[in-house]
């Protein structure tokens, strides 16, 4: 094989990484995967010899311990002193502590291998953090511990075992509930205490309710007092505080038309004509002979019938002639 002079000589002797000269001395250093003259392996900062001493690499360059601690070691967040290479450097979110300085700000207990929290650039053990900053249950005022389930409603928070029905005091958990003012009720207790009940069946009205005389009814319970047909959404009449459909009211309470014998329903709103003990619908109040409407006109009663004046004269003349 053929080599240039430089590489040929490197086959024979090592080359110093500092001065780039061949090393002919019998003793030399092998550090950082390179070869060095004994007096050329020095601190990058102060040039102090590092052969046989402890050194620290920073950005792949060797430093003596003193220079490294002065120029590159982290500063303890607690005592503001450099953290030497012989000390453990504990770090959290770009902050550093000596092992002995990594303590709770409040109780000074060591936080090594302990859960801790950070607030306002200070660190606290789990208990102190909870006592100072932890969210508290609105019922028992105790802090929510890690892993505990938290129930929230309208800005308030409860432990699962503290979220109770105001009446039965049973934990509601994730079941449905109903708020009333500042109190919370389970569905069952709310129905017993506050829910609207039908005046007829006394059961809770959940849907399809109607009001009659300021009282609540189920739609299916608000029926005609006589035939029991549902009255919600229909026209009905009232007698003695009881509701009736128009048909039953007419049959039970209305006067009957002398002509058609049908009930005269709704006497206060329906136009009708009465004479002595007889009643007529206005459209039925006609002459029995000529069928002329007699509303507002004179008439003559002939038994249960009525006749107009003209028909009465004709009838009278016929009787005289007979």
């Amino acid at each position: 094989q053929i080599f240039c002079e430089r590489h040929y000589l490197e086959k024979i002797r090592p080359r110093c990484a500092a001065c780039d000269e061949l090393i002919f001395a019998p003793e030399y250093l092998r550090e950082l995967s390179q070869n060095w003259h004994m007096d050329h392996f020095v601190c990058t900062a102060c040039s102090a010899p590092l052969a046989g001493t402890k050194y620290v690499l920073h950005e792949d360059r060797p430093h003596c311990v003193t220079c490294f601690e002065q120029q590159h070691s982290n500063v303890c967040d607690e005592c503001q002193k450099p953290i030497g290479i012989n000390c453990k450097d504990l770090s959290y979110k770009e902050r550093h502590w000596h092992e002995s300085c990594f303590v709770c700000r409040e109780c000074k207990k060591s936080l090594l291998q302990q859960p801790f929290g950070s607030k306002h650039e200070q660190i606290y053990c789990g208990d102190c953090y909870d006592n100072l900053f932890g969210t508290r249950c609105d019922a028992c005022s105790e802090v929510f511990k890690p892993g505990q389930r938290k129930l929230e409603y309208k800005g308030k928070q409860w432990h699962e075992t503290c979220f109770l029905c105001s009446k039965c005091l049973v934990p509601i958990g994730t079941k449905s509930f109903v708020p009333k003012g500042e109190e919370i009720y389970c569905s069952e207790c709310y129905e017993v205490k506050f829910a609207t009940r039908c005046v007829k069946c006394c059961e809770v009205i959940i849907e399809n309710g109607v009001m009659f005389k300021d009282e609540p009814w189920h739609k299916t319970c608000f029926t005609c007092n006589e035939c029991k047909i549902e009255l919600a959404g229909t026209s009905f009449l009232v007698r003695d505080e009881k509701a009736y459909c128009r048909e039953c009211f007419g049959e039970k309470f209305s006067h009957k038309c002398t002509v058609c014998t049908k009930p005269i329903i709704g006497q206060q709103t329906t136009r009708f004509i009465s004479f002595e003990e007889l009643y007529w619908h206005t459209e039925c109040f006609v002459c029995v002979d000529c069928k002329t409407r007699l509303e507002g006109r004179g008439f003559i009663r002939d038994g249960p019938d009525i006749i107009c004046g003209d028909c009465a004269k004709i009838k009278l003349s016929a009787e005289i002639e007979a």
Side-chain angles (χ1 to χ4, degrees):
Q1 294 180 334
I2 301 175
F3 296 92
C4 67
E5 182 182 12
R6 178 183 181 85
H7 291 132
Y8 176 77
L9 293 174
E10 288 177 357
K11 292 288 186 180
I12 301 172
R13 299 298 301 174
R15 189 178 295 278
C16 179
C19 66
D20 200 35
E21 296 293 333
L22 293 176
I23 303 174
F24 292 99
E27 294 184 357
Y28 62 92
L29 290 176
R30 178 71 179 174
E31 294 285 346
L32 307 180
S33 301
Q34 292 179 310
N35 300 306
W36 310 76
H37 287 108
M38 294 291 292
D39 54 349
H40 286 179
F41 186 62
V42 297
C43 171
T44 304
C46 67
S47 299
L50 298 179
T53 65
K54 183 181 291 187
Y55 65 90
V56 183
L57 285 178
H58 180 71
E59 296 180 352
D60 294 330
R61 294 186 176 184
H63 292 73
C64 66
V65 172
T66 302
C67 290
F68 178 82
E69 291 181 346
Q70 291 177 349
Q71 299 179 14
H72 305 296
S73 62
N74 295 312
V75 176
C76 177
D77 196 76
E78 179 68 20
C79 67
Q80 301 301 314
K81 295 180 180 180
I83 301 175
I85 63 171
N86 294 323
C87 300
K88 283 187 178 180
D89 185 342
L90 305 179
S91 63
Y92 173 71
K93 289 187 176 180
E94 299 182 357
R95 299 164 64 194
H96 300 265
W97 292 268
H98 291 106
E99 184 177 7
S100 58
C101 294
F102 191 58
V103 297
C104 172
R105 180 71 176 181
E106 191 72 12
C107 68
K108 306 305 179 184
K109 181 174 67 176
S110 174
L111 299 179
L112 287 175
Q113 299 181 349
Q114 299 293 328
F116 66 92
S118 175
K119 191 78 170 181
H120 307 311
E121 300 298 319
Q122 303 295 336
I123 52 175
Y124 301 85
C125 66
D127 292 336
C128 290
Y129 184 91
D130 288 342
N131 291 332
L132 292 173
F133 312 109
T135 306
R136 295 182 179 273
C137 174
D138 282 285
C140 68
S141 299
E142 294 295 326
V143 173
F144 289 99
K145 298 294 184 182
Q148 285 185 320
R149 192 169 187 177
K150 182 193 301 183
L151 301 179
E152 299 184 14
Y153 177 71
K154 285 190 174 180
K156 292 186 176 182
Q157 303 170 97
W158 295 267
H159 292 108
E160 189 171 12
T161 54
C162 294
F163 190 56
L164 310 177
C165 170
S166 298
K167 180 175 176 62
C168 66
L169 302 181
V170 173
I172 296 175
T174 57
K175 296 187 296 184
S176 60
F177 64 91
V178 184
K180 184 72 173 180
E182 295 297 318
E183 297 182 324
I184 300 293
Y185 296 88
C186 63
S187 300
E188 293 78 5
C189 289
Y190 182 85
E191 288 184 0
V192 171
K193 191 173 179 66
F194 300 107
T196 302
R197 294 181 177 273
C198 175
V199 297
K200 183 176 182 180
C201 68
C202 296
E203 294 296 326
V204 174
I205 299 176
I206 299 176
E207 58 182 357
N208 296 329
V210 296
M211 296 294 293
F212 174 62
K213 291 189 176 296
D214 296 326
E215 293 180 326
W217 301 67
H218 286 114
K219 181 180 178 181
T220 54
C221 291
F222 185 58
T223 60
C224 172
N225 191 63
E226 194 72 14
C227 69
K228 309 306 178 185
I229 189 173
E230 290 186 17
L231 298 179
T234 68
S235 175
F236 62 90
L237 299 168
V238 180
R239 180 70 173 267
D240 299 329
E241 302 298 319
K242 297 177 181 179
Y244 298 86
C245 66
R246 294 182 64 85
E247 289 73 13
C248 290
F249 185 90
E251 291 295 332
K252 193 172 181 66
F253 303 109
S254 296
H255 296 293
K256 304 297 187 297
C257 178
T258 303
V259 175
C260 68
T261 69
K262 294 180 179 179
I264 300 174
I265 302 173
Q267 294 183 20
Q268 294 181 354
T269 57
T270 302
R271 294 181 62 190
F272 67 98
I273 297 168
S274 66
F275 179 70
E276 296 178 348
E277 76 281 5
L278 302 178
Y279 296 85
W280 296 267
H281 293 108
T282 53
E283 62 272 17
C284 295
F285 191 61
V286 298
C287 175
V288 70
D289 291 332
C290 67
K291 307 304 179 185
T292 301
R293 296 190 64 168
L294 299 178
E295 183 181 3
R297 298 176 59 182
F299 63 91
I300 295 174
R301 179 180 173 185
D302 185 16
D305 299 327
I306 54 173
I307 57 177
C308 64
D310 293 339
C311 290
K313 290 177 182 180
I314 296 173
K315 187 173 184 179
L316 181 61
S317 297
E319 290 177 352
I320 293 173
E321 290 178 358

